[in-house]
Amino acid sequence: MYAFVSLLSAWAIPVMIVFIPLYAAYRKVPVYESFVDGAKEGFDTAIKIIPHLVGMMVAISVFRASGAMDIVLGWMRPFFESLGIPTEVLPLAILRPITGAGSLAFTTDLIEQFGPDSMIGRIASTVQGSTDTTLYVVTVYFGAIGIRKASYALKVGLISDLVGFVASIVICYLVFA
């Protein structure tokens, strides 16, 4: 199983990089022009999201500095310990839906502390790739385009993050244990 996952991960990106432009050329899509048009739209979007981005960064800083994250982790720790799940990855379950940079920094710290080939390092890496920054996406992108009723998207996104977190742990134990 490990050999298959390694082979798949080694070839996935190169295959996509070659396949997508070839498929677009086959469909007679002007690849370069489409790219340039998308880049122009991306620049306009970047300008629109700056106020929402600043607000989200302030909220994240307050959440961490106030000690609220430590309180939430204290409530969760006994449950995860009873299941045999490494409690070192719990902050990642909280940080990942909120901030990509913060969760990446935490993942980097875990990998430096426990090693990339440890179960904790593998779980942290898999969580990082299997979940999204849901609160960030809803706040910044939905705010930038004026969507005010995002409750369903928020619920589905957070449930997806929970499923991604649990699946990451299960898959890492199945593949690497």
Side-chain angles (χ1 to χ4, degrees):
M1 181 68 140
Y2 181 76
F4 173 73
V5 171
S6 294
L7 181 67
L8 182 66
S9 63
W11 282 98
I13 300 294
V15 167
M16 285 193 307
I17 288 172
V18 171
F19 175 75
I20 291 171
L22 288 177
Y23 184 71
Y26 170 75
R27 300 280 314 249
K28 296 184 174 41
V29 173
V31 177
Y32 184 74
E33 291 80 5
S34 297
F35 173 78
V36 170
D37 290 340
K40 286 179 189 175
E41 291 176 22
F43 185 75
D44 292 338
T45 302
I47 297 298
K48 289 178 187 176
I49 69 172
I50 288 174
H52 303 282
L53 184 64
V54 170
M56 187 67 187
M57 292 299 132
V58 169
I60 292 166
S61 297
V62 169
F63 179 71
R64 293 184 75 189
S66 70
M69 186 172 83
D70 295 330
I71 291 169
V72 172
L73 286 173
W75 292 336
M76 296 170 63
R77 205 171 296 280
F79 174 72
F80 282 93
E81 285 175 350
S82 70
L83 295 175
I85 296 171
T87 57
E88 292 83 2
V89 298
L90 287 182
L92 192 56
I94 294 173
L95 284 175
R96 184 66 180 145
I98 299 171
T99 170
S103 64
L104 181 60
F106 188 78
T107 299
T108 302
D109 290 344
L110 287 176
I111 290 172
E112 286 177 359
Q113 185 177 358
F114 297 100
D117 292 330
S118 68
M119 187 58 76
I120 291 171
R122 288 175 171 165
I123 290 172
S125 298
T126 307
V127 167
Q128 190 72 16
S130 302
T131 57
D132 200 1
T133 54
T134 302
L135 296 174
Y136 175 85
V137 168
V138 168
T139 302
V140 174
Y141 295 115
F142 281 33
I145 59 174
I147 295 175
R148 299 287 176 235
K149 296 181 180 178
S151 62
Y152 291 115
L154 181 61
K155 289 174 193 171
V156 170
L158 291 175
I159 289 169
S160 298
D161 288 334
L162 178 62
V163 169
F165 181 73
V166 172
S168 297
I169 293 168
V170 170
I171 289 170
C172 282
Y173 276 111
L174 287 175
V175 173
F176 301 114

